[in-house]
Amino acid sequence: MTPRLIVSDLDGTLLGSDHTLHKSTVEVLRALVKQGHHVALASGRHYHDMQVFRDQLDIPAHLISTNGAYVHDPVDTLLAANHLEPEHAKTLIGLPRPPQVRLNLYRESGWHIDSEAPHLLSLHASTGFGYEVVPPAKMDTNGVGKVLYLGDPKALKQLEAQAQEAHGDGLHITYSTIDSLEIMAGGVNKGVALSSLLERLGLTPVDCLAFGDNLNDTEMLDLAGEAQVMANAHPALFDRVTGAERIGHHGEAAVAQWLKKRFGL
């Protein structure tokens, strides 16, 4: 048997509509690990936010967090950390934005936000991960894995254009949802992190099966030998990934269903 690396996004992909793992998903991934396959979770979520799902799976999974800014091995060793240049982070913190747009920083130590936003915590209800409110003027520009703006899509498009004009190739700009603009250092994305992980495991992209649903999954899916795009995916994602297969809805545990057929479980 040729071991494979199975890598999946979380929200909108591996997790159900309630942002939790379906029982069948847990069973299938455990069975595949027992067969000798590798598993990695790749998300825009913070590393500490993702640990809970790995613990629930109870398998030795690698974690690609903050859209590829950080990579941890199954025993929590930090394998890679890629931060924004402090001057770039300073620019992004200072960009003018409407008052309803929330500014967030994902750092190794946690999640900083510019103002209280309790409605955001529902996404993290099952993990208990929360933010610390820090005024923008006091935000530390060192050690920032991601700057995240949350709010009206039109306002985010303006912020995207301003960020691109300011620092161009020094930034990697993407969206995890239509109202979530995510900015990492240039060259930082899930695909680059996945490539380094495959090399570490002694595997090639042909040996990789990837699952995703949004634009921040583009590079990861395009790298994988077998790319699966969810039925609920961003409308533009399928056309961005060469040779992708469209599978079912995340709310119906479609990743688990597909893997059962693929590996004859």
Side-chain angles (χ1 to χ4, degrees), residues 182-232:
E182 314 213 358
I183 304 180
M184 288 69 62
V188 174
N189 57 67
K190 294 183 185 182
V192 171
L194 175 59
S195 180
S196 66
L197 178 55
L198 284 166
E199 184 176 355
R200 179 176 290 271
L201 294 172
L203 300 174
T204 68
V206 173
D207 303 317
C208 182
L209 294 77
F211 301 84
D213 76 300
N214 225 305
L215 301 183
N216 63 332
D217 298 315
T218 302
E219 293 84 4
M220 175 179 78
L221 292 168
D222 211 29
L223 176 68
E226 298 180 52
Q228 285 66 237
V229 174
M230 309 304 292
N232 51 279

Coordinates of all heavy atoms in Angstrom, one line a residue, residues 182-232:
E182 N -8.3 37.9 4.5 CA -7.1 37.4 5.3 C -5.8 37.7 4.6 O -5.7 37.5 3.4 CB -7.3 35.9 5.5 CG -8.7 35.5 5.9 CD -8.7 34.2 6.8 OE1 -7.7 33.7 7.1 OE2 -9.8 33.9 7.2
I183 N -4.9 38.3 5.4 CA -3.6 38.7 4.8 C -2.4 38.1 5.6 O -2.3 38.4 6.8 CB -3.5 40.3 4.8 CG1 -4.7 40.8 4.0 CG2 -2.2 40.7 4.1 CD1 -4.7 42.4 3.9
M184 N -1.6 37.4 4.9 CA -0.4 36.8 5.4 C 0.8 37.4 4.7 O 0.7 38.2 3.8 CB -0.4 35.3 5.3 CG -1.4 34.5 6.2 SD -3.1 34.8 5.7 CE -3.2 34.2 4.1
A185 N 2.0 37.0 5.2 CA 3.2 37.4 4.5 C 3.2 36.9 3.0 O 2.6 35.8 2.8 CB 4.5 37.0 5.2
G186 N 3.9 37.5 2.1 CA 4.0 37.0 0.8 C 4.6 35.6 0.7 O 5.5 35.3 1.4
G187 N 4.0 34.8 -0.1 CA 4.4 33.4 -0.2 C 3.9 32.5 0.9 O 4.3 31.3 0.9
V188 N 3.0 33.0 1.8 CA 2.5 32.2 2.8 C 1.0 31.8 2.5 O 0.2 32.6 2.3 CB 2.5 32.9 4.2 CG1 1.8 32.1 5.2 CG2 3.9 33.1 4.6
N189 N 0.8 30.5 2.3 CA -0.5 30.0 2.0 C -0.5 28.5 2.4 O 0.5 27.9 2.7 CB -1.0 30.2 0.6 CG 0.0 29.6 -0.4 OD1 0.1 28.4 -0.5 ND2 0.7 30.5 -1.2
K190 N -1.7 27.9 2.3 CA -1.8 26.5 2.7 C -1.0 25.6 1.7 O -0.5 24.5 2.1 CB -3.3 26.1 2.7 CG -4.2 26.7 3.7 CD -5.6 26.1 3.7 CE -6.5 26.8 4.7 NZ -7.9 26.3 4.6
G191 N -1.0 26.0 0.5 CA -0.2 25.2 -0.5 C 1.2 25.1 -0.3 O 1.9 24.0 -0.4
V192 N 1.9 26.2 0.1 CA 3.3 26.2 0.4 C 3.6 25.4 1.6 O 4.5 24.6 1.7 CB 3.8 27.7 0.6 CG1 5.2 27.7 1.1 CG2 3.7 28.4 -0.7
A193 N 2.7 25.5 2.7 CA 2.9 24.7 3.9 C 2.7 23.3 3.6 O 3.4 22.4 4.1 CB 1.8 25.2 4.9
L194 N 1.7 22.9 2.7 CA 1.5 21.5 2.4 C 2.7 21.0 1.6 O 3.1 19.8 1.9 CB 0.2 21.4 1.5 CG -0.1 20.0 0.9 CD1 -0.3 19.0 2.1 CD2 -1.3 20.1 0.1
S195 N 3.3 21.7 0.7 CA 4.5 21.3 0.0 C 5.6 20.9 0.9 O 6.2 19.8 0.8 CB 4.9 22.3 -1.0 OG 6.0 21.9 -1.7
S196 N 5.8 21.7 1.9 CA 6.9 21.4 2.9 C 6.6 20.2 3.7 O 7.5 19.4 4.1 CB 7.2 22.6 3.8 OG 6.1 22.9 4.6
L197 N 5.3 20.0 4.0 CA 4.9 18.9 4.8 C 5.1 17.6 4.0 O 5.6 16.6 4.6 CB 3.5 19.0 5.3 CG 2.9 17.9 6.1 CD1 3.8 17.5 7.3 CD2 1.5 18.2 6.6
L198 N 4.7 17.6 2.8 CA 4.9 16.4 1.9 C 6.3 16.0 1.8 O 6.7 14.8 1.9 CB 4.3 16.7 0.5 CG 2.8 16.7 0.4 CD1 2.4 17.3 -1.0 CD2 2.3 15.3 0.5
E199 N 7.2 17.0 1.7 CA 8.6 16.7 1.6 C 9.1 16.1 2.9 O 9.9 15.1 2.9 CB 9.4 18.0 1.3 CG 10.9 17.8 1.1 CD 11.6 19.1 0.8 OE1 10.9 20.1 0.6 OE2 12.9 19.1 0.7
R200 N 8.6 16.6 4.0 CA 9.0 16.1 5.3 C 8.6 14.6 5.5 O 9.3 13.8 6.1 CB 8.4 17.0 6.4 CG 8.7 16.5 7.9 CD 8.1 17.5 8.9 NE 8.9 18.8 8.8 CZ 9.9 19.0 9.6 NH1 10.4 18.1 10.4 NH2 10.5 20.2 9.5
L201 N 7.4 14.3 4.9 CA 6.9 12.9 5.0 C 7.4 12.0 4.0 O 7.1 10.8 4.0 CB 5.4 13.0 5.0 CG 4.6 13.7 6.1 CD1 3.1 13.8 5.8 CD2 4.8 12.9 7.4
G202 N 8.2 12.5 3.1 CA 8.8 11.7 2.0 C 7.7 11.4 0.9 O 7.8 10.3 0.3
L203 N 6.8 12.2 0.7 CA 5.7 12.0 -0.2 C 5.7 13.1 -1.3 O 6.4 14.1 -1.2 CB 4.3 12.0 0.5 CG 4.1 11.0 1.6 CD1 2.7 11.2 2.3 CD2 4.1 9.6 1.0
T204 N 5.0 12.8 -2.4 CA 4.9 13.8 -3.5 C 3.5 14.3 -3.6 O 2.6 13.7 -3.0 CB 5.3 13.1 -4.8 OG1 4.3 12.2 -5.2 CG2 6.6 12.4 -4.7
P205 N 3.2 15.4 -4.3 CA 1.9 15.9 -4.4 C 0.9 14.8 -5.0 O -0.3 14.8 -4.7 CB 2.0 17.0 -5.4 CG 3.4 17.6 -5.1 CD 4.2 16.3 -4.9
V206 N 1.4 13.9 -5.8 CA 0.6 12.8 -6.4 C 0.0 12.0 -5.3 O -1.1 11.4 -5.4 CB 1.4 12.0 -7.4 CG1 0.6 10.8 -7.8 CG2 1.8 12.8 -8.6
D207 N 0.7 11.9 -4.2 CA 0.3 11.1 -3.0 C -0.7 11.8 -2.1 O -1.0 11.3 -1.0 CB 1.5 10.6 -2.2 CG 2.5 9.9 -3.0 OD1 2.1 9.0 -3.8 OD2 3.7 10.2 -2.8
C208 N -1.1 13.0 -2.5 CA -1.9 13.8 -1.6 C -3.3 14.0 -2.0 O -3.6 14.2 -3.2 CB -1.3 15.2 -1.5 SG -2.1 16.3 -0.4
L209 N -4.3 13.8 -1.1 CA -5.7 14.0 -1.4 C -6.1 15.2 -0.5 O -5.9 15.3 0.7 CB -6.5 12.8 -0.9 CG -6.4 11.5 -1.7 CD1 -5.1 10.8 -1.3 CD2 -7.6 10.6 -1.4
A210 N -6.7 16.3 -1.2 CA -7.0 17.5 -0.5 C -8.5 17.8 -0.6 O -9.1 17.6 -1.7 CB -6.2 18.6 -0.9
F211 N -9.1 18.5 0.4 CA -10.5 18.9 0.4 C -10.6 20.3 0.9 O -9.9 20.7 1.8 CB -11.3 18.0 1.4 CG -11.2 16.5 1.1 CD1 -10.2 15.7 1.5 CD2 -12.2 15.9 0.4 CE1 -10.1 14.4 1.2 CE2 -12.2 14.6 0.1 CZ -11.1 13.8 0.5
G212 N -11.4 21.1 0.2 CA -11.6 22.5 0.5 C -12.9 23.1 0.0 O -13.6 22.5 -0.8
D213 N -13.2 24.3 0.5 CA -14.4 25.0 0.0 C -14.3 26.4 -0.3 O -15.3 27.0 -0.7 CB -15.5 24.8 1.2 CG -15.2 25.7 2.3 OD1 -14.2 25.6 2.9 OD2 -16.1 26.6 2.6
N214 N -13.1 27.0 0.0 CA -13.1 28.5 -0.2 C -11.8 28.9 -0.8 O -10.8 28.1 -1.0 CB -13.3 29.2 1.1 CG -14.3 30.4 0.9 OD1 -14.1 31.3 0.0 ND2 -15.4 30.4 1.6
L215 N -11.7 30.2 -1.1 CA -10.5 30.7 -1.9 C -9.2 30.5 -1.2 O -8.2 30.4 -1.9 CB -10.8 32.2 -2.3 CG -12.0 32.5 -3.1 CD1 -12.1 34.0 -3.4 CD2 -12.1 31.6 -4.3
N216 N -9.2 30.5 0.1 CA -7.9 30.3 0.8 C -7.4 28.8 0.7 O -6.4 28.5 1.2 CB -8.0 30.7 2.3 CG -9.0 29.9 3.1 OD1 -10.0 29.4 2.6 ND2 -8.8 29.8 4.4
D217 N -8.2 28.0 0.1 CA -7.8 26.6 -0.2 C -7.2 26.4 -1.6 O -6.8 25.3 -1.9 CB -9.0 25.6 0.0 CG -9.6 25.7 1.4 OD1 -8.8 25.6 2.3 OD2 -10.8 25.7 1.5
T218 N -7.2 27.4 -2.4 CA -6.9 27.3 -3.8 C -5.5 26.7 -4.0 O -5.4 25.7 -4.7 CB -6.9 28.7 -4.5 OG1 -8.2 29.3 -4.3 CG2 -6.5 28.5 -6.0
E219 N -4.5 27.2 -3.4 CA -3.1 26.7 -3.6 C -2.9 25.2 -3.1 O -2.3 24.4 -3.7 CB -2.1 27.6 -2.9 CG -2.0 29.0 -3.5 CD -3.0 29.9 -3.0 OE1 -3.8 29.6 -2.1 OE2 -3.1 31.1 -3.5
M220 N -3.6 24.9 -2.0 CA -3.5 23.6 -1.4 C -4.2 22.6 -2.4 O -3.6 21.5 -2.7 CB -4.2 23.6 -0.1 CG -4.3 22.2 0.6 SD -5.2 22.3 2.2 CE -6.9 22.4 1.7
L221 N -5.3 22.9 -2.9 CA -6.1 22.0 -3.8 C -5.3 21.9 -5.1 O -5.3 20.8 -5.7 CB -7.5 22.6 -4.0 CG -8.4 22.5 -2.8 CD1 -9.7 23.3 -3.1 CD2 -8.8 21.1 -2.5
D222 N -4.8 23.0 -5.6 CA -4.1 22.9 -6.9 C -2.8 22.1 -6.8 O -2.4 21.5 -7.8 CB -3.7 24.4 -7.3 CG -3.8 24.5 -8.8 OD1 -4.5 23.8 -9.5 OD2 -3.0 25.4 -9.4
L223 N -2.2 22.0 -5.6 CA -1.0 21.2 -5.5 C -1.3 19.7 -5.4 O -0.6 18.9 -6.0 CB -0.3 21.6 -4.2 CG 1.0 20.8 -3.8 CD1 2.1 21.0 -4.8 CD2 1.4 21.2 -2.4
A224 N -2.4 19.3 -4.8 CA -2.7 17.9 -4.5 C -3.0 17.1 -5.8 O -3.6 17.6 -6.7 CB -3.9 17.8 -3.6
G225 N -2.6 15.9 -5.7 CA -2.8 15.0 -6.9 C -4.3 14.7 -7.0 O -4.8 14.5 -8.2
E226 N -5.0 14.6 -5.9 CA -6.5 14.5 -6.0 C -7.1 15.6 -5.2 O -7.0 15.7 -4.0 CB -6.9 13.1 -5.4 CG -6.3 11.9 -6.1 CD -6.7 10.6 -5.5 OE1 -7.9 10.3 -5.3 OE2 -5.8 9.8 -5.2
A227 N -7.8 16.5 -5.9 CA -8.4 17.7 -5.3 C -9.9 17.5 -5.3 O -10.5 17.3 -6.3 CB -8.0 18.9 -6.0
Q228 N -10.5 17.7 -4.1 CA -12.0 17.6 -4.0 C -12.5 19.0 -3.5 O -12.1 19.5 -2.5 CB -12.4 16.5 -3.0 CG -12.2 15.1 -3.6 CD -10.8 14.7 -3.9 OE1 -10.5 14.3 -5.0 NE2 -10.0 14.8 -2.9
V229 N -13.5 19.5 -4.2 CA -14.1 20.8 -3.9 C -15.5 20.5 -3.4 O -16.3 19.8 -4.1 CB -14.1 21.7 -5.1 CG1 -14.9 23.0 -4.8 CG2 -12.7 22.1 -5.5
M230 N -15.9 21.1 -2.3 CA -17.3 20.8 -1.7 C -18.4 21.4 -2.6 O -18.2 22.4 -3.3 CB -17.3 21.4 -0.3 CG -16.2 21.0 0.6 SD -16.0 19.2 0.8 CE -17.4 18.8 1.7
A231 N -19.6 20.8 -2.5 CA -20.7 21.3 -3.2 C -21.1 22.7 -2.7 O -21.7 23.5 -3.5 CB -21.9 20.4 -3.0
N232 N -20.8 23.0 -1.5 CA -21.1 24.3 -0.9 C -20.0 25.4 -1.1 O -20.0 26.4 -0.4 CB -21.4 24.2 0.6 CG -20.3 23.4 1.3 OD1 -20.3 22.2 1.3 ND2 -19.3 24.1 2.0

